């Protein structure tokens, strides 16, 4: 069944709403591509690929690679691979594994009725509070006060505020996007087009701002070179 319409975005002035169609963020080429930037230097990539199985379920494959070095000395390494299955706006299953700078984390859950049941690094019970994961492609992400961590299965309590419309440069030209700020368990700034496409995001590692910016799919390295084994 379809998800109920999400509540109005807290603090959103009139005119700052974005599409609530959960499929509206998927591009025609079925892939989102981003580079990850720290101190104006590319330090990683993120890819989200979309396909459908024989039952018509949406399959979302996500790969993230961050590799910070000082010269040849490694400082921080982050590898994440996940597969989400969605049907009619509901998350049906999520399986992920992450190398978080040497710490192994995972999620393996699937829907049973109204709950997502399974295991994860920080899952202690069935997940029933959050329907939206932190994969960002679903624009209803910004209409939640609880989110599901794709990395370890935690429920993240957040406040989300729409700050205004900004012009963001993309490989296909400038795009008007609504800037949202998340506070609470997940601190993040994220921009969505009015049509519901995830455009960019920023967060901090210590005092350093990390930017996730859109790039052409051809700018990504081959997934075989950087996905988790």
């Amino acid at each position: 069944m379809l998800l109920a319409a999400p509540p109005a975005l807290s603090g959103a002035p009139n005119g700052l709403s974005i599409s609530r169609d959960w499929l509206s963020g998927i591009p025609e080429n079925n892939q989102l591509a981003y580079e990850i930037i720290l101190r104006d230097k590319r330090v990683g990539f993120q890819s989200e690929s979309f396909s459908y199985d024989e039952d018509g379920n949406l399959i979302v494959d996500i790969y993230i690679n961050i590799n910070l070095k000082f010269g040849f000395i490694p400082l921080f390494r982050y590898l994440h691979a996940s597969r989400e299955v969605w049907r009619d706006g509901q998350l049906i299953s999520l399986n992920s594994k992450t190398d978080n700078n040497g710490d192994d984390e995972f999620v393996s859950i699937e829907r049973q009725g109204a709950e997502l049941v399974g295991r994860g690094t920080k899952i202690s019970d069935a997940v029933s509070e959050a329907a939206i994961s932190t994969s960002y492609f679903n624009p209803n992400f910004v209409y939640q006060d609880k989110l599901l961590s794709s990395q370890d299965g935690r429920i993240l309590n957040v406040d989300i505020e729409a700050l205004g419309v900004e012009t963001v440069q993309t490989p296909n030209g400038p795009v008007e996007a609504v800037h949202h700020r998340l506070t609470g368990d997940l601190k993040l700034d994220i921009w969505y087009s009015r049509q519901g496409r995830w455009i960019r995001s920023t967060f901090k590692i210590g005092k350093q701002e990390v930017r996730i910016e859109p790039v052409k799919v051809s700018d990504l390295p081959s997934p075989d070179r950087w996905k988790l084994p």
Side-chain angles (χ1 to χ4, degrees):
M1 65 179 176
L2 292 173
L3 286 176
L9 181 60
S10 175
N14 291 335
L16 295 187
S17 61
I18 64 173
S19 172
R20 298 187 182 191
D21 177 357
W22 72 284
L23 292 171
S24 63
I26 301 175
E28 292 183 359
N29 65 356
N30 289 318
Q31 188 165 5
L32 295 171
Y34 304 88
E35 61 181 354
I36 301 171
I37 300 169
L38 175 66
R39 295 194 294 269
D40 294 324
K41 179 181 179 181
R42 177 186 286 178
V43 296
F45 301 89
Q46 179 161 345
S47 170
E48 302 201 359
S49 301
F50 305 90
S51 60
Y52 290 88
D53 65 16
E54 62 274 9
D55 297 319
N57 298 319
L58 176 68
I59 310 298
V60 187
D61 288 307
I62 300 161
Y63 298 105
I64 305 171
N65 179 314
I66 303 175
N67 191 9
L68 301 182
K69 293 182 179 181
F70 180 73
F72 294 102
I73 302 172
L75 298 178
F76 178 79
R77 180 72 164 159
Y78 183 92
L79 291 170
H80 172 88
S82 66
R83 169 166 284 193
E84 299 181 356
V85 179
W86 291 74
R87 182 171 62 243
D88 294 335
Q90 285 192 327
L91 182 62
I92 302 302
S93 67
L94 177 114
N95 289 278
S96 73
K97 52 183 178 178
T98 303
D99 176 355
N100 185 7
N101 205 33
D103 293 329
D104 292 329
E105 300 184 293
F106 77 100
V107 179
S108 180
I109 55 177
E110 63 180 358
R111 183 167 294 280
Q112 295 182 11
E115 296 181 325
L116 289 162
V117 178
R119 300 179 302 123
T121 312
K122 295 185 178 179
I123 293 177
S124 58
D125 203 352
V127 177
S128 58
E129 295 181 277
I132 305 294
S133 65
T134 52
S135 57
Y136 306 151
F137 83 91
N138 185 339
N140 289 295
F141 179 86
V142 298
Y143 293 109
Q144 312 302 309
D145 58 11
K146 295 180 186 296
L147 298 165
L148 172 65
S149 168
S150 303
Q151 177 176 308
D152 56 30
R154 282 180 298 158
I155 298 299
L156 305 170
N157 295 288
V158 296
D159 292 311
I160 304 180
E161 180 183 7
L163 299 181
V165 177
E166 300 174 11
T167 300
V168 179
Q169 295 298 324
T170 77
N172 297 316
V175 172
E176 281 198 347
V178 183
H179 180 183
H180 301 81
R181 177 161 294 161
L182 282 71
T183 54
D185 293 336
L186 179 61
K187 296 176 176 60
L188 176 80
D189 282 44
I190 194 164
W191 287 254
Y192 285 89
S193 70
R194 292 186 183 277
Q195 293 73 35
R197 179 78 50 82
W198 171 32
I199 301 298
R200 73 187 295 257
S201 55
T202 64
F203 61 93
K204 287 189 175 181
I205 297 178
K207 295 183 179 181
Q208 299 291 330
E209 183 179 77
V210 178
R211 308 196 318 269
I212 303 178
E213 304 279 1
V215 295
K216 295 179 179 178
V217 173
S218 58
D219 288 340
L220 293 176
S222 168
D224 289 339
R225 290 176 49 198
W226 52 276
K227 70 180 182 181
L228 285 171

